[in-house]
Amino acid sequence: MIVITAPTGNIGRRLLSLLVEAAPARGEELRVVVRDPARLPEAVRGRVEVVTGSHGDAATVERAFSGADAVFWLVPPDASVTPDEAYSGFTRPAARAFAAHGVGHVVGVSALGRGTPQAARAGLVTASLAMDDLIAGSGVAYRALASPSFFENLLEEADSIREHGVFTDTAAADRPAPLVAVADIAATAAGLLLDRSWTGVGSVPVLGPQDLSPDDLARIMTEELGRPVRYQRQSLDELRSTMLGYGLNEAFVEGMVDMKRAKDQGLDSGVDRSPQAGPATGFAHWCARTLKPAVLATPEAVDAASTTSGGR
């Protein structure tokens, strides 16, 4: 029995699609934890067991993890609380349930940065790494999918790219860093959940095929979209003011600012790049298949496509 949390999010829905096809041949049953079962694809509803509720709720995870052999764990973003509440606070009921029900293996979506000088002051990433420690302390075999920023974050910039030919972030224009497609994270998770020969606690970097700077991204987007695209750097103060203007939790906003600062100082560059075990989607390929249709689409379609879970 494999349990999938956040099965309608950007990573979870791709993982669910992979497991629905592959799990039955391996004798695996699938269970999902979802707040609104109506959001599950109609094609999979009859092929999985559904537990309705939030996987941050103790009663829900008690039901969900009973009889479970493996769990895919992803914390949904919640900017209304502090980073510790968003990650460890949300995960504590699950960690207790892992132990109580003898769950053997957990695969979680986490972040790069462990062991770097920036790790202790990286805001949301620091909170994510603390969540990993909490899960590892429950006694399960655990693999944290250590991920950099997602290509899919650029979908939030589709309107600006369409209307002004501009995308923004806070990193230095010439700083290369790893980036990854969420489909690659899902594929890596599927492999670990289906082949549970691994033991102990560790992290699995999912880096994408190459490091790219914002200027590199602008050049590739220009080539793939057939229109000029340039990068505009935003200051951390501007980011803070914008997020606070949305009424978000002040501590969460500082966590985002601290994460962005740490990334610009090399947080995501602490892992030696080696051939990625799973798929490695190139940015140009992702642009052609995902970003270009979004830039050419209506704003409403872009809003639907850019809904993510666990983005950073």
Side-chain angles (χ1 to χ4, degrees):
M1 171 68 74
I2 299 173
V3 178
I4 304 165
T5 65
T8 61
N10 222 357
I11 297 172
R13 62 186 172 87
R14 289 170 169 83
L15 173 62
L16 179 58
S17 177
L18 293 171
L19 292 181
V20 161
E21 295 305 319
R26 295 173 178 252
E28 300 277 5
E29 297 181 0
L30 299 177
R31 180 184 292 159
V32 300
V33 186
V34 62
R35 293 174 190 259
D36 181 5
R39 293 186 61 199
L40 291 168
E42 188 172 346
V44 306
R45 288 179 201 169
R47 303 175 68 180
V48 300
E49 180 185 342
V50 178
V51 173
T52 302
S54 166
H55 54 292
D57 174 69
T60 300
V61 292
E62 282 293 322
R63 299 197 312 273
F65 298 160
S66 176
D69 298 291
V71 173
F72 172 72
W73 183 254
L74 189 153
V75 169
D78 184 355
S80 68
V81 296
T82 69
D84 179 70
E85 291 169 332
Y87 285 91
S88 291
F90 188 92
T91 302
R92 283 190 184 97
R96 291 192 291 267
F98 293 152
H101 293 287
V103 174
H105 294 76
V106 176
V107 176
V109 175
S110 187
L112 290 169
R114 186 175 293 276
T116 66
Q118 298 82 21
R121 54 180 190 279
L124 301 186
V125 169
T126 303
S128 183
L129 298 178
M131 175 196 72
D132 293 336
D133 294 338
L134 176 65
I135 295 173
S138 70
V140 299
Y142 181 55
R143 289 295 180 271
L145 302 182
S147 307
S149 297
F150 305 153
F151 292 162
E152 280 71 14
N153 293 348
L154 285 165
L155 292 172
E156 299 173 8
E157 302 280 323
D159 287 353
S160 179
I161 293 169
R162 180 192 311 111
E163 296 167 11
H164 308 292
V166 173
F167 73 102
T168 61
D169 201 351
T170 60
D174 60 352
R175 172 177 284 282
L179 293 158
V180 69
V182 294
D184 293 354
I185 300 172
T188 303
L192 289 166
L193 290 165
L194 291 170
D195 179 5
R196 300 191 291 275
S197 57
W198 43 278
T199 59
V201 173
S203 64
V204 178
V206 190
L207 303 177
Q210 65 183 132
D211 291 1
L212 295 168
S213 69
D215 281 347
D216 292 329
L217 299 179
R219 172 180 52 78
I220 295 169
M221 282 190 273
T222 296
E223 294 168 355
E224 294 299 326
L225 300 180
R227 61 177 69 188
V229 179
R230 63 182 177 85
Y231 174 62
Q232 181 173 299
R233 189 178 187 185
Q234 181 184 41
S235 73
L236 293 175
D237 285 341
E238 288 175 310
L239 175 64
R240 179 187 292 108
S241 296
T242 299
M243 295 183 72
L244 289 174
Y246 293 145
L248 305 182
N249 179 279
E250 186 173 351
F252 191 94
V253 170
E254 289 305 315
M256 176 68 77
V257 170
D258 288 345
M259 178 184 73
K260 291 287 191 178
R261 181 184 296 110
K263 282 178 176 285
D264 198 42
Q265 294 172 347
L267 176 74
D268 288 351
S269 301
V271 175
D272 291 334
R273 180 175 287 280
S274 58
Q276 189 165 301
T281 303
F283 183 66
H285 177 75
W286 180 85
C287 279
R289 293 197 60 179
T290 303
L291 182 62
K292 187 172 184 177
V295 169
L296 298 178
T298 62
E300 292 79 8
V302 174
D303 287 343
S306 64
T307 301
T308 62
S309 290
R312 59 182 54 86

